[in-house]
Amino acid sequence: MMGELAYKVRRFSEADLESVIKINRTCLPENYSSNFFIDIYRSYPEGFLVAEYNGEVVGYIMCRVEFGFSEFGRFRLTKKIHVVSIAVMVQHRRKGLAKTLLTEAIKALDRKYGCSEVFLEVRVSNQPAINLYRKLGFRDIRVIHHYYIDSEDALVMARKLPLEEDLESEAG
Ligand code: ACO
Ligand code: ZN
């Protein structure tokens, strides 16, 4: 899937900001200020990656680490990776880029912070993304009513860490 040398996944750098903002605005209705991207990058650089095609940025993932209640119940406090935003330009989809971005970012943050789970919110209508997360072992946790600005519901999905070896090696 990632056999084509033209594709490469690497750490975000501040020189990529404009490209990432453009991809975010093209692919998603949830858009953020430059400061929001930069603040997350400076706090959690291991969790902010980009995918390149022939040197052009065509996808990104942005994550942070949060301390709060486990998504798996029992009011247990835990360190969780939050996948804040991920997108791949439409011409470069179904090549495994999102899967690689997710596995690489999760592994890097888990290595540094020792997290016990990873979670995210996704629009209940976003079947491609939900399929991707299920394939990576995420489970449906709960629905947040009217989460998005247009009042669509969010599905919270989560999985326990670490990622299994099969996912880690397949992503390389
Ligand atoms: N239909 C069905 N299954 C899909 C689809 C789809 N359109 N896209 C991905 N999948 C599943 C498949 O199982 C796929 O494996 P396969 O191609 O071998 O069948 C698997 O996910 C891996 O797909 P990737 O190629 O890694 O995913 P891609 O690089 O195409 O990116 C993404 C997926 C990020 C959801 C892309 O479609 C996109 O950018 N969408 C618009 C932005 C978006 O919705 N982002 C997620 C919002 S939620 C959040 O950010 C936390
Ligand atoms: Zn979120």
Side-chain angles (χ1 to χ4, degrees):
M1 226 186 296
M2 294 295 293
E4 293 165 84
L5 283 170
Y7 284 107
K8 181 182 159 188
V9 168
R10 62 164 173 81
R11 184 83 66 84
F12 171 87
S13 87
E14 294 189 22
D16 301 317
L17 181 62
E18 264 187 61
S19 312
V20 167
I21 286 178
K22 183 174 149 250
I23 296 166
N24 170 253
R25 291 191 182 154
T26 307
C27 298
L28 280 168
E30 289 70 49
N31 305 134
Y32 316 99
S33 66
S34 299
N35 280 340
F36 183 79
F37 289 98
I38 292 296
D39 286 350
I40 292 187
Y41 166 66
R42 291 185 183 164
S43 303
Y44 302 104
E46 302 80 6
F48 200 154
L49 307 179
V50 296
E52 276 184 354
Y53 180 71
N54 290 337
E56 183 196 355
V57 177
V58 298
Y60 71 89
I61 185 170
M62 174 168 66
C63 308
R64 64 187 176 217
V65 176
E66 296 175 5
F67 190 68
F69 288 122
S70 168
E71 299 299 334
F72 295 91
R74 308 276 175 255
F75 299 105
R76 194 166 41 79
L77 286 169
T78 189
K79 221 183 281 176
K80 317 187 278 189
I81 296 171
H82 184 176
V83 179
V84 176
S85 186
I86 179 171
V88 171
M89 291 294 274
V90 66
Q91 311 91 304
H92 300 280
R93 290 185 190 162
R94 299 307 285 269
K95 296 181 189 303
L97 289 178
K99 189 178 169 194
T100 300
L101 287 166
L102 274 160
T103 53
E104 293 301 315
I106 291 166
K107 272 194 293 173
L109 287 172
D110 190 22
R111 210 180 291 128
K112 174 147 183 193
Y113 293 96
C115 300
S116 51
E117 52 196 68
V118 50
F119 79 101
L120 53 82
E121 303 95 15
V122 59
R123 286 175 180 265
V124 293
S125 66
N126 192 348
Q127 204 58 56
I130 291 170
N131 286 353
L132 164 72
Y133 304 138
R134 286 207 177 118
K135 192 166 187 176
L136 292 177
F138 285 74
R139 289 172 21 201
D140 299 4
I141 302 292
R142 62 198 153 93
V143 169
I144 308 177
H145 198 55
H146 287 195
Y147 179 78
Y148 295 99
I149 190 121
D150 59 1
S151 94
E152 184 168 348
D153 295 349
L155 174 63
V156 176
M157 300 182 75
R159 63 153 292 158
K160 292 186 176 164
L161 296 175
L163 296 179
E164 305 90 345
E165 289 302 322
D166 59 322
L167 286 179
E168 298 189 17
S169 54
E170 210 187 306

